[in-house]
Every structure is written in structure tokens, then in C-alpha cells.
Amino acid sequence: MAEPERTTERRLRPAPLVFEPSEAAADPEHFFDLESMDDPRELLTRSTELALAFRAATDRAVEFQAIAAAQLADPRRFDRLTPADIGERAGWTEDYARKMIEFGTDLLRGAIT
């Protein structure tokens, strides 16, 4: 996974993700009620909104991963973790963990806007 780039698009608020009732989520054919839409224009609009919302959620989650990695690797912590340890916990390579630590450090400093 490449290091995320920050863009002005990320700050746009796409359609909210609404949690589905548990019985709907249990049905593998059910996905945010998209399967019940008959109008292709409506289907395209709503599925696009959902795709954008999932992308925005992914971007934010990656930022929080990076911040957590930077905090865990902070040399001022007595219990700091090595990039290898962080990578193992997150399922990343050690090299990618280093990049995420750097990205998170930049985020914490406010260097990336």
C-alpha cells in the first residue's frame, strides 16, 4: 500500500455511511439497499456516494494508523516499539512501518495539511 497523499478532496464530506440492521447485514446479497434500487440513475448516484464515503473512511483510518505508529515509536516513550514490532502488529513490512511512522510524525507536527 502506497503512502497516502493528502488532497483537498479528502476533506469533502461524502454521504454518511449508515449502519445496516443486523438481519440485513447477515444477508450476503444485501448491501446498503443497493440491490433493491430499480432506477439506474439512482443506483449510480448512491453507489458513487458510498464508494466516496468508503474511500474517505479508508484515508482517515490510514492517517490514524500512521499517528498511532508514530506515537508507539516515539523515542521519549519508555515502552516504545521498533518499526519491526509495529509492522508485525499491523501486518506491514518493517520498511512500510518506517514510512508510516514518518507520515504519522509529520501529521502530529502538523507538517501535512
Side-chain angles (χ1 to χ4, degrees):
M1 183 170 167
E3 188 171 337
E5 293 180 15
R6 295 185 56 94
T7 66
T8 55
E9 280 184 46
R10 179 176 305 161
R11 295 298 168 209
L12 297 176
R13 297 286 177 188
L17 294 176
V18 179
F19 291 98
E20 297 186 281
S22 59
E23 56 275 358
D27 178 4
E29 297 300 315
H30 185 81
F31 188 74
F32 290 92
D33 210 27
L34 295 177
E35 70 287 342
S36 68
M37 293 183 177
D38 295 326
D39 180 1
R41 288 178 183 91
E42 181 184 353
L43 178 60
L44 179 61
T45 298
R46 183 61 182 146
S47 60
T48 300
E49 289 173 344
L50 284 169
L52 292 172
F54 284 122
R55 285 183 199 135
T58 299
D59 290 346
R60 284 298 284 159
V62 169
E63 288 176 352
F64 281 107
Q65 283 182 310
I67 288 169
Q71 290 171 335
L72 289 169
D74 188 337
R76 297 172 294 184
R77 290 178 61 112
F78 77 92
D79 61 344
R80 71 182 168 270
L81 298 177
T82 66
D85 291 333
I86 293 169
E88 184 177 329
R89 285 178 179 232
W92 302 330
T93 65
E94 185 175 347
D95 185 51
Y96 185 74
R98 281 193 188 93
K99 291 177 182 184
M100 288 295 279
I101 292 165
E102 183 180 334
F103 179 51
T105 301
D106 290 344
L107 288 171
L108 288 169
R109 277 194 233 138
I112 298 178
T113 56

PDB file of all heavy atoms in Angstrom, residues 61-96:
ATOM      1  N   ALA A  61      -8.695   6.380   8.305  1.00  0.00           N
ATOM      2  CA  ALA A  61      -8.188   5.264   9.097  1.00  0.00           C
ATOM      3  C   ALA A  61      -6.679   5.114   8.921  1.00  0.00           C
ATOM      4  O   ALA A  61      -5.957   4.869   9.896  1.00  0.00           O
ATOM      5  CB  ALA A  61      -8.903   3.970   8.709  1.00  0.00           C
ATOM      6  N   VAL A  62      -6.188   5.293   7.704  1.00  0.00           N
ATOM      7  CA  VAL A  62      -4.746   5.208   7.452  1.00  0.00           C
ATOM      8  C   VAL A  62      -4.014   6.327   8.198  1.00  0.00           C
ATOM      9  O   VAL A  62      -2.939   6.103   8.764  1.00  0.00           O
ATOM     10  CB  VAL A  62      -4.440   5.245   5.938  1.00  0.00           C
ATOM     11  CG1 VAL A  62      -2.952   5.440   5.669  1.00  0.00           C
ATOM     12  CG2 VAL A  62      -4.925   3.957   5.278  1.00  0.00           C
ATOM     13  N   GLU A  63      -4.590   7.518   8.237  1.00  0.00           N
ATOM     14  CA  GLU A  63      -3.970   8.610   8.993  1.00  0.00           C
ATOM     15  C   GLU A  63      -3.876   8.249  10.472  1.00  0.00           C
ATOM     16  O   GLU A  63      -2.852   8.490  11.117  1.00  0.00           O
ATOM     17  CB  GLU A  63      -4.758   9.902   8.809  1.00  0.00           C
ATOM     18  CG  GLU A  63      -4.592  10.511   7.439  1.00  0.00           C
ATOM     19  CD  GLU A  63      -5.462  11.746   7.234  1.00  0.00           C
ATOM     20  OE1 GLU A  63      -6.323  12.046   8.109  1.00  0.00           O
ATOM     21  OE2 GLU A  63      -5.283  12.411   6.201  1.00  0.00           O
ATOM     22  N   PHE A  64      -4.944   7.664  11.016  1.00  0.00           N
ATOM     23  CA  PHE A  64      -4.911   7.268  12.418  1.00  0.00           C
ATOM     24  C   PHE A  64      -3.921   6.135  12.660  1.00  0.00           C
ATOM     25  O   PHE A  64      -3.267   6.088  13.711  1.00  0.00           O
ATOM     26  CB  PHE A  64      -6.308   6.913  12.923  1.00  0.00           C
ATOM     27  CG  PHE A  64      -7.140   8.127  13.244  1.00  0.00           C
ATOM     28  CD1 PHE A  64      -8.185   8.496  12.419  1.00  0.00           C
ATOM     29  CD2 PHE A  64      -6.863   8.915  14.349  1.00  0.00           C
ATOM     30  CE1 PHE A  64      -8.953   9.617  12.695  1.00  0.00           C
ATOM     31  CE2 PHE A  64      -7.623  10.042  14.642  1.00  0.00           C
ATOM     32  CZ  PHE A  64      -8.674  10.394  13.822  1.00  0.00           C
ATOM     33  N   GLN A  65      -3.774   5.230  11.694  1.00  0.00           N
ATOM     34  CA  GLN A  65      -2.745   4.195  11.810  1.00  0.00           C
ATOM     35  C   GLN A  65      -1.370   4.839  11.895  1.00  0.00           C
ATOM     36  O   GLN A  65      -0.530   4.437  12.709  1.00  0.00           O
ATOM     37  CB  GLN A  65      -2.765   3.265  10.599  1.00  0.00           C
ATOM     38  CG  GLN A  65      -3.857   2.241  10.582  1.00  0.00           C
ATOM     39  CD  GLN A  65      -3.726   1.357   9.350  1.00  0.00           C
ATOM     40  OE1 GLN A  65      -3.593   1.850   8.230  1.00  0.00           O
ATOM     41  NE2 GLN A  65      -3.768   0.051   9.546  1.00  0.00           N
ATOM     42  N   ALA A  66      -1.126   5.808  11.032  1.00  0.00           N
ATOM     43  CA  ALA A  66       0.174   6.474  10.995  1.00  0.00           C
ATOM     44  C   ALA A  66       0.445   7.218  12.300  1.00  0.00           C
ATOM     45  O   ALA A  66       1.561   7.170  12.836  1.00  0.00           O
ATOM     46  CB  ALA A  66       0.244   7.428   9.808  1.00  0.00           C
ATOM     47  N   ILE A  67      -0.566   7.887  12.814  1.00  0.00           N
ATOM     48  CA  ILE A  67      -0.402   8.610  14.081  1.00  0.00           C
ATOM     49  C   ILE A  67      -0.091   7.631  15.209  1.00  0.00           C
ATOM     50  O   ILE A  67       0.819   7.862  16.013  1.00  0.00           O
ATOM     51  CB  ILE A  67      -1.663   9.446  14.382  1.00  0.00           C
ATOM     52  CG1 ILE A  67      -1.727  10.644  13.430  1.00  0.00           C
ATOM     53  CG2 ILE A  67      -1.689   9.901  15.839  1.00  0.00           C
ATOM     54  CD1 ILE A  67      -3.046  11.399  13.451  1.00  0.00           C
ATOM     55  N   ALA A  68      -0.826   6.523  15.255  1.00  0.00           N
ATOM     56  CA  ALA A  68      -0.571   5.519  16.291  1.00  0.00           C
ATOM     57  C   ALA A  68       0.834   4.946  16.162  1.00  0.00           C
ATOM     58  O   ALA A  68       1.539   4.769  17.163  1.00  0.00           O
ATOM     59  CB  ALA A  68      -1.615   4.410  16.215  1.00  0.00           C
ATOM     60  N   ALA A  69       1.257   4.674  14.936  1.00  0.00           N
ATOM     61  CA  ALA A  69       2.610   4.137  14.715  1.00  0.00           C
ATOM     62  C   ALA A  69       3.663   5.130  15.197  1.00  0.00           C
ATOM     63  O   ALA A  69       4.637   4.738  15.853  1.00  0.00           O
ATOM     64  CB  ALA A  69       2.816   3.809  13.239  1.00  0.00           C
ATOM     65  N   ALA A  70       3.467   6.405  14.887  1.00  0.00           N
ATOM     66  CA  ALA A  70       4.422   7.430  15.321  1.00  0.00           C
ATOM     67  C   ALA A  70       4.452   7.521  16.843  1.00  0.00           C
ATOM     68  O   ALA A  70       5.524   7.658  17.444  1.00  0.00           O
ATOM     69  CB  ALA A  70       4.062   8.778  14.708  1.00  0.00           C
ATOM     70  N   GLN A  71       3.296   7.451  17.470  1.00  0.00           N
ATOM     71  CA  GLN A  71       3.253   7.516  18.931  1.00  0.00           C
ATOM     72  C   GLN A  71       3.924   6.298  19.559  1.00  0.00           C
ATOM     73  O   GLN A  71       4.659   6.429  20.539  1.00  0.00           O
ATOM     74  CB  GLN A  71       1.810   7.633  19.410  1.00  0.00           C
ATOM     75  CG  GLN A  71       1.188   8.977  19.074  1.00  0.00           C
ATOM     76  CD  GLN A  71      -0.302   9.023  19.352  1.00  0.00           C
ATOM     77  OE1 GLN A  71      -0.979   7.995  19.349  1.00  0.00           O
ATOM     78  NE2 GLN A  71      -0.816  10.227  19.582  1.00  0.00           N
ATOM     79  N   LEU A  72       3.689   5.121  18.990  1.00  0.00           N
ATOM     80  CA  LEU A  72       4.313   3.912  19.531  1.00  0.00           C
ATOM     81  C   LEU A  72       5.829   3.905  19.344  1.00  0.00           C
ATOM     82  O   LEU A  72       6.544   3.297  20.137  1.00  0.00           O
ATOM     83  CB  LEU A  72       3.708   2.671  18.876  1.00  0.00           C
ATOM     84  CG  LEU A  72       2.276   2.346  19.291  1.00  0.00           C
ATOM     85  CD1 LEU A  72       1.693   1.265  18.387  1.00  0.00           C
ATOM     86  CD2 LEU A  72       2.221   1.926  20.754  1.00  0.00           C
ATOM     87  N   ALA A  73       6.322   4.570  18.313  1.00  0.00           N
ATOM     88  CA  ALA A  73       7.765   4.596  18.035  1.00  0.00           C
ATOM     89  C   ALA A  73       8.469   5.791  18.668  1.00  0.00           C
ATOM     90  O   ALA A  73       9.691   5.903  18.560  1.00  0.00           O
ATOM     91  CB  ALA A  73       7.988   4.623  16.530  1.00  0.00           C
ATOM     92  N   ASP A  74       7.725   6.652  19.335  1.00  0.00           N
ATOM     93  CA  ASP A  74       8.304   7.871  19.920  1.00  0.00           C
ATOM     94  C   ASP A  74       9.439   7.515  20.876  1.00  0.00           C
ATOM     95  O   ASP A  74       9.237   6.775  21.845  1.00  0.00           O
ATOM     96  CB  ASP A  74       7.212   8.635  20.668  1.00  0.00           C
ATOM     97  CG  ASP A  74       7.666  10.003  21.153  1.00  0.00           C
ATOM     98  OD1 ASP A  74       8.891  10.225  21.316  1.00  0.00           O
ATOM     99  OD2 ASP A  74       6.788  10.861  21.365  1.00  0.00           O
ATOM    100  N   PRO A  75      10.646   8.034  20.615  1.00  0.00           N
ATOM    101  CA  PRO A  75      11.794   7.686  21.460  1.00  0.00           C
ATOM    102  C   PRO A  75      11.654   8.177  22.903  1.00  0.00           C
ATOM    103  O   PRO A  75      12.369   7.716  23.784  1.00  0.00           O
ATOM    104  CB  PRO A  75      12.994   8.351  20.765  1.00  0.00           C
ATOM    105  CG  PRO A  75      12.436   9.252  19.746  1.00  0.00           C
ATOM    106  CD  PRO A  75      11.019   8.882  19.498  1.00  0.00           C
ATOM    107  N   ARG A  76      10.724   9.082  23.157  1.00  0.00           N
ATOM    108  CA  ARG A  76      10.514   9.565  24.535  1.00  0.00           C
ATOM    109  C   ARG A  76       9.706   8.581  25.368  1.00  0.00           C
ATOM    110  O   ARG A  76       9.644   8.726  26.591  1.00  0.00           O
ATOM    111  CB  ARG A  76       9.809  10.925  24.518  1.00  0.00           C
ATOM    112  CG  ARG A  76      10.660  12.015  23.839  1.00  0.00           C
ATOM    113  CD  ARG A  76       9.877  13.271  23.660  1.00  0.00           C
ATOM    114  NE  ARG A  76       8.798  12.990  22.687  1.00  0.00           N
ATOM    115  CZ  ARG A  76       7.951  13.878  22.224  1.00  0.00           C
ATOM    116  NH1 ARG A  76       8.024  15.134  22.633  1.00  0.00           N
ATOM    117  NH2 ARG A  76       7.027  13.552  21.351  1.00  0.00           N
ATOM    118  N   ARG A  77       9.101   7.598  24.725  1.00  0.00           N
ATOM    119  CA  ARG A  77       8.318   6.590  25.456  1.00  0.00           C
ATOM    120  C   ARG A  77       9.251   5.525  26.010  1.00  0.00           C
ATOM    121  O   ARG A  77      10.101   5.005  25.294  1.00  0.00           O
ATOM    122  CB  ARG A  77       7.308   5.918  24.532  1.00  0.00           C
ATOM    123  CG  ARG A  77       6.173   6.797  24.087  1.00  0.00           C
ATOM    124  CD  ARG A  77       5.267   6.036  23.149  1.00  0.00           C
ATOM    125  NE  ARG A  77       4.673   4.870  23.772  1.00  0.00           N
ATOM    126  CZ  ARG A  77       3.376   4.746  24.054  1.00  0.00           C
ATOM    127  NH1 ARG A  77       2.551   5.714  23.749  1.00  0.00           N
ATOM    128  NH2 ARG A  77       2.912   3.652  24.619  1.00  0.00           N
ATOM    129  N   PHE A  78       9.065   5.173  27.251  1.00  0.00           N
ATOM    130  CA  PHE A  78       9.892   4.108  27.828  1.00  0.00           C
ATOM    131  C   PHE A  78       9.526   2.751  27.229  1.00  0.00           C
ATOM    132  O   PHE A  78      10.344   1.838  27.203  1.00  0.00           O
ATOM    133  CB  PHE A  78       9.763   4.081  29.359  1.00  0.00           C
ATOM    134  CG  PHE A  78       8.494   3.449  29.856  1.00  0.00           C
ATOM    135  CD1 PHE A  78       8.437   2.094  30.161  1.00  0.00           C
ATOM    136  CD2 PHE A  78       7.338   4.198  30.012  1.00  0.00           C
ATOM    137  CE1 PHE A  78       7.265   1.511  30.605  1.00  0.00           C
ATOM    138  CE2 PHE A  78       6.164   3.627  30.456  1.00  0.00           C
ATOM    139  CZ  PHE A  78       6.128   2.279  30.760  1.00  0.00           C
ATOM    140  N   ASP A  79       8.294   2.638  26.731  1.00  0.00           N
ATOM    141  CA  ASP A  79       7.830   1.372  26.173  1.00  0.00           C
ATOM    142  C   ASP A  79       7.705   1.418  24.644  1.00  0.00           C
ATOM    143  O   ASP A  79       6.928   0.698  24.056  1.00  0.00           O
ATOM    144  CB  ASP A  79       6.487   0.984  26.788  1.00  0.00           C
ATOM    145  CG  ASP A  79       5.399   2.014  26.521  1.00  0.00           C
ATOM    146  OD1 ASP A  79       5.718   3.157  26.135  1.00  0.00           O
ATOM    147  OD2 ASP A  79       4.205   1.676  26.718  1.00  0.00           O
ATOM    148  N   ARG A  80       8.519   2.275  24.031  1.00  0.00           N
ATOM    149  CA  ARG A  80       8.410   2.436  22.570  1.00  0.00           C
ATOM    150  C   ARG A  80       8.672   1.111  21.863  1.00  0.00           C
ATOM    151  O   ARG A  80       9.334   0.220  22.375  1.00  0.00           O
ATOM    152  CB  ARG A  80       9.367   3.505  22.080  1.00  0.00           C
ATOM    153  CG  ARG A  80      10.820   3.105  22.131  1.00  0.00           C
ATOM    154  CD  ARG A  80      11.723   4.246  21.668  1.00  0.00           C
ATOM    155  NE  ARG A  80      13.099   3.975  21.966  1.00  0.00           N
ATOM    156  CZ  ARG A  80      13.713   4.310  23.097  1.00  0.00           C
ATOM    157  NH1 ARG A  80      13.058   4.939  24.033  1.00  0.00           N
ATOM    158  NH2 ARG A  80      14.974   4.023  23.288  1.00  0.00           N
ATOM    159  N   LEU A  81       8.119   1.041  20.662  1.00  0.00           N
ATOM    160  CA  LEU A  81       8.280  -0.153  19.844  1.00  0.00           C
ATOM    161  C   LEU A  81       9.190   0.152  18.658  1.00  0.00           C
ATOM    162  O   LEU A  81       9.245   1.284  18.179  1.00  0.00           O
ATOM    163  CB  LEU A  81       6.918  -0.630  19.321  1.00  0.00           C
ATOM    164  CG  LEU A  81       5.892  -1.044  20.373  1.00  0.00           C
ATOM    165  CD1 LEU A  81       4.578  -1.412  19.699  1.00  0.00           C
ATOM    166  CD2 LEU A  81       6.410  -2.196  21.217  1.00  0.00           C
ATOM    167  N   THR A  82       9.843  -0.875  18.177  1.00  0.00           N
ATOM    168  CA  THR A  82      10.679  -0.733  16.985  1.00  0.00           C
ATOM    169  C   THR A  82       9.771  -0.765  15.754  1.00  0.00           C
ATOM    170  O   THR A  82       8.640  -1.268  15.820  1.00  0.00           O
ATOM    171  CB  THR A  82      11.692  -1.883  16.886  1.00  0.00           C
ATOM    172  OG1 THR A  82      10.969  -3.095  16.670  1.00  0.00           O
ATOM    173  CG2 THR A  82      12.563  -1.974  18.134  1.00  0.00           C
ATOM    174  N   PRO A  83      10.266  -0.259  14.621  1.00  0.00           N
ATOM    175  CA  PRO A  83       9.475  -0.382  13.391  1.00  0.00           C
ATOM    176  C   PRO A  83       9.110  -1.836  13.071  1.00  0.00           C
ATOM    177  O   PRO A  83       8.008  -2.108  12.589  1.00  0.00           O
ATOM    178  CB  PRO A  83      10.386   0.224  12.325  1.00  0.00           C
ATOM    179  CG  PRO A  83      11.214   1.217  13.075  1.00  0.00           C
ATOM    180  CD  PRO A  83      11.458   0.563  14.419  1.00  0.00           C
ATOM    181  N   ALA A  84       9.990  -2.771  13.374  1.00  0.00           N
ATOM    182  CA  ALA A  84       9.696  -4.188  13.128  1.00  0.00           C
ATOM    183  C   ALA A  84       8.520  -4.646  13.999  1.00  0.00           C
ATOM    184  O   ALA A  84       7.624  -5.355  13.522  1.00  0.00           O
ATOM    185  CB  ALA A  84      10.927  -5.048  13.404  1.00  0.00           C
ATOM    186  N   ASP A  85       8.510  -4.222  15.271  1.00  0.00           N
ATOM    187  CA  ASP A  85       7.411  -4.591  16.167  1.00  0.00           C
ATOM    188  C   ASP A  85       6.089  -3.976  15.703  1.00  0.00           C
ATOM    189  O   ASP A  85       5.047  -4.641  15.715  1.00  0.00           O
ATOM    190  CB  ASP A  85       7.698  -4.134  17.599  1.00  0.00           C
ATOM    191  CG  ASP A  85       8.831  -4.901  18.254  1.00  0.00           C
ATOM    192  OD1 ASP A  85       9.061  -6.070  17.877  1.00  0.00           O
ATOM    193  OD2 ASP A  85       9.483  -4.320  19.142  1.00  0.00           O
ATOM    194  N   ILE A  86       6.132  -2.725  15.304  1.00  0.00           N
ATOM    195  CA  ILE A  86       4.928  -2.049  14.821  1.00  0.00           C
ATOM    196  C   ILE A  86       4.433  -2.723  13.553  1.00  0.00           C
ATOM    197  O   ILE A  86       3.237  -2.979  13.395  1.00  0.00           O
ATOM    198  CB  ILE A  86       5.195  -0.547  14.605  1.00  0.00           C
ATOM    199  CG1 ILE A  86       5.453   0.123  15.961  1.00  0.00           C
ATOM    200  CG2 ILE A  86       4.036   0.125  13.871  1.00  0.00           C
ATOM    201  CD1 ILE A  86       5.990   1.542  15.868  1.00  0.00           C
ATOM    202  N   GLY A  87       5.353  -3.019  12.649  1.00  0.00           N
ATOM    203  CA  GLY A  87       4.997  -3.703  11.418  1.00  0.00           C
ATOM    204  C   GLY A  87       4.344  -5.051  11.680  1.00  0.00           C
ATOM    205  O   GLY A  87       3.352  -5.408  11.042  1.00  0.00           O
ATOM    206  N   GLU A  88       4.887  -5.787  12.628  1.00  0.00           N
ATOM    207  CA  GLU A  88       4.320  -7.096  12.959  1.00  0.00           C
ATOM    208  C   GLU A  88       2.899  -6.950  13.493  1.00  0.00           C
ATOM    209  O   GLU A  88       1.997  -7.693  13.100  1.00  0.00           O
ATOM    210  CB  GLU A  88       5.197  -7.794  13.993  1.00  0.00           C
ATOM    211  CG  GLU A  88       4.731  -9.190  14.328  1.00  0.00           C
ATOM    212  CD  GLU A  88       5.661  -9.881  15.314  1.00  0.00           C
ATOM    213  OE1 GLU A  88       6.871  -9.609  15.304  1.00  0.00           O
ATOM    214  OE2 GLU A  88       5.140 -10.696  16.090  1.00  0.00           O
ATOM    215  N   ARG A  89       2.671  -5.968  14.362  1.00  0.00           N
ATOM    216  CA  ARG A  89       1.332  -5.758  14.925  1.00  0.00           C
ATOM    217  C   ARG A  89       0.322  -5.340  13.867  1.00  0.00           C
ATOM    218  O   ARG A  89      -0.844  -5.711  13.940  1.00  0.00           O
ATOM    219  CB  ARG A  89       1.378  -4.678  16.002  1.00  0.00           C
ATOM    220  CG  ARG A  89       1.987  -5.131  17.282  1.00  0.00           C
ATOM    221  CD  ARG A  89       2.033  -3.995  18.287  1.00  0.00           C
ATOM    222  NE  ARG A  89       2.605  -4.464  19.516  1.00  0.00           N
ATOM    223  CZ  ARG A  89       2.040  -4.316  20.702  1.00  0.00           C
ATOM    224  NH1 ARG A  89       0.891  -3.682  20.811  1.00  0.00           N
ATOM    225  NH2 ARG A  89       2.620  -4.777  21.781  1.00  0.00           N
ATOM    226  N   ALA A  90       0.762  -4.543  12.891  1.00  0.00           N
ATOM    227  CA  ALA A  90      -0.158  -4.003  11.885  1.00  0.00           C
ATOM    228  C   ALA A  90      -0.204  -4.839  10.608  1.00  0.00           C
ATOM    229  O   ALA A  90      -1.018  -4.556   9.731  1.00  0.00           O
ATOM    230  CB  ALA A  90       0.243  -2.568  11.540  1.00  0.00           C
ATOM    231  N   GLY A  91       0.669  -5.827  10.491  1.00  0.00           N
ATOM    232  CA  GLY A  91       0.703  -6.636   9.277  1.00  0.00           C
ATOM    233  C   GLY A  91       1.423  -5.938   8.140  1.00  0.00           C
ATOM    234  O   GLY A  91       1.093  -6.145   6.972  1.00  0.00           O
ATOM    235  N   TRP A  92       2.398  -5.095   8.487  1.00  0.00           N
ATOM    236  CA  TRP A  92       3.176  -4.348   7.500  1.00  0.00           C
ATOM    237  C   TRP A  92       4.604  -4.885   7.470  1.00  0.00           C
ATOM    238  O   TRP A  92       5.066  -5.527   8.394  1.00  0.00           O
ATOM    239  CB  TRP A  92       3.286  -2.870   7.882  1.00  0.00           C
ATOM    240  CG  TRP A  92       2.021  -2.120   8.052  1.00  0.00           C
ATOM    241  CD1 TRP A  92       0.835  -2.336   7.417  1.00  0.00           C
ATOM    242  CD2 TRP A  92       1.814  -0.999   8.910  1.00  0.00           C
ATOM    243  NE1 TRP A  92      -0.087  -1.405   7.828  1.00  0.00           N
ATOM    244  CE2 TRP A  92       0.477  -0.576   8.738  1.00  0.00           C
ATOM    245  CE3 TRP A  92       2.619  -0.304   9.807  1.00  0.00           C
ATOM    246  CZ2 TRP A  92      -0.060   0.510   9.429  1.00  0.00           C
ATOM    247  CZ3 TRP A  92       2.082   0.776  10.493  1.00  0.00           C
ATOM    248  CH2 TRP A  92       0.749   1.174  10.297  1.00  0.00           C
ATOM    249  N   THR A  93       5.314  -4.529   6.400  1.00  0.00           N
ATOM    250  CA  THR A  93       6.752  -4.791   6.386  1.00  0.00           C
ATOM    251  C   THR A  93       7.406  -3.750   7.290  1.00  0.00           C
ATOM    252  O   THR A  93       6.830  -2.701   7.586  1.00  0.00           O
ATOM    253  CB  THR A  93       7.336  -4.664   4.971  1.00  0.00           C
ATOM    254  OG1 THR A  93       7.200  -3.306   4.536  1.00  0.00           O
ATOM    255  CG2 THR A  93       6.653  -5.623   3.992  1.00  0.00           C
ATOM    256  N   GLU A  94       8.623  -4.026   7.693  1.00  0.00           N
ATOM    257  CA  GLU A  94       9.358  -3.078   8.532  1.00  0.00           C
ATOM    258  C   GLU A  94       9.583  -1.758   7.792  1.00  0.00           C
ATOM    259  O   GLU A  94       9.472  -0.675   8.376  1.00  0.00           O
ATOM    260  CB  GLU A  94      10.696  -3.685   8.965  1.00  0.00           C
ATOM    261  CG  GLU A  94      11.461  -2.818   9.939  1.00  0.00           C
ATOM    262  CD  GLU A  94      12.721  -3.482  10.454  1.00  0.00           C
ATOM    263  OE1 GLU A  94      12.895  -4.714  10.265  1.00  0.00           O
ATOM    264  OE2 GLU A  94      13.548  -2.761  11.047  1.00  0.00           O
ATOM    265  N   ASP A  95       9.868  -1.842   6.497  1.00  0.00           N
ATOM    266  CA  ASP A  95      10.085  -0.635   5.698  1.00  0.00           C
ATOM    267  C   ASP A  95       8.819   0.219   5.638  1.00  0.00           C
ATOM    268  O   ASP A  95       8.869   1.435   5.788  1.00  0.00           O
ATOM    269  CB  ASP A  95      10.549  -1.029   4.288  1.00  0.00           C
ATOM    270  CG  ASP A  95      10.902   0.179   3.447  1.00  0.00           C
ATOM    271  OD1 ASP A  95      11.687   1.031   3.922  1.00  0.00           O
ATOM    272  OD2 ASP A  95      10.388   0.270   2.313  1.00  0.00           O
ATOM    273  N   TYR A  96       7.678  -0.436   5.427  1.00  0.00           N
ATOM    274  CA  TYR A  96       6.419   0.310   5.373  1.00  0.00           C
ATOM    275  C   TYR A  96       6.105   0.907   6.745  1.00  0.00           C
ATOM    276  O   TYR A  96       5.618   2.038   6.840  1.00  0.00           O
ATOM    277  CB  TYR A  96       5.273  -0.594   4.909  1.00  0.00           C
ATOM    278  CG  TYR A  96       3.985   0.160   4.713  1.00  0.00           C
ATOM    279  CD1 TYR A  96       3.804   0.990   3.619  1.00  0.00           C
ATOM    280  CD2 TYR A  96       2.959   0.063   5.637  1.00  0.00           C
ATOM    281  CE1 TYR A  96       2.628   1.693   3.436  1.00  0.00           C
ATOM    282  CE2 TYR A  96       1.777   0.761   5.461  1.00  0.00           C
ATOM    283  CZ  TYR A  96       1.625   1.578   4.361  1.00  0.00           C
ATOM    284  OH  TYR A  96       0.459   2.287   4.194  1.00  0.00           O
TER     285      TYR A  96
END
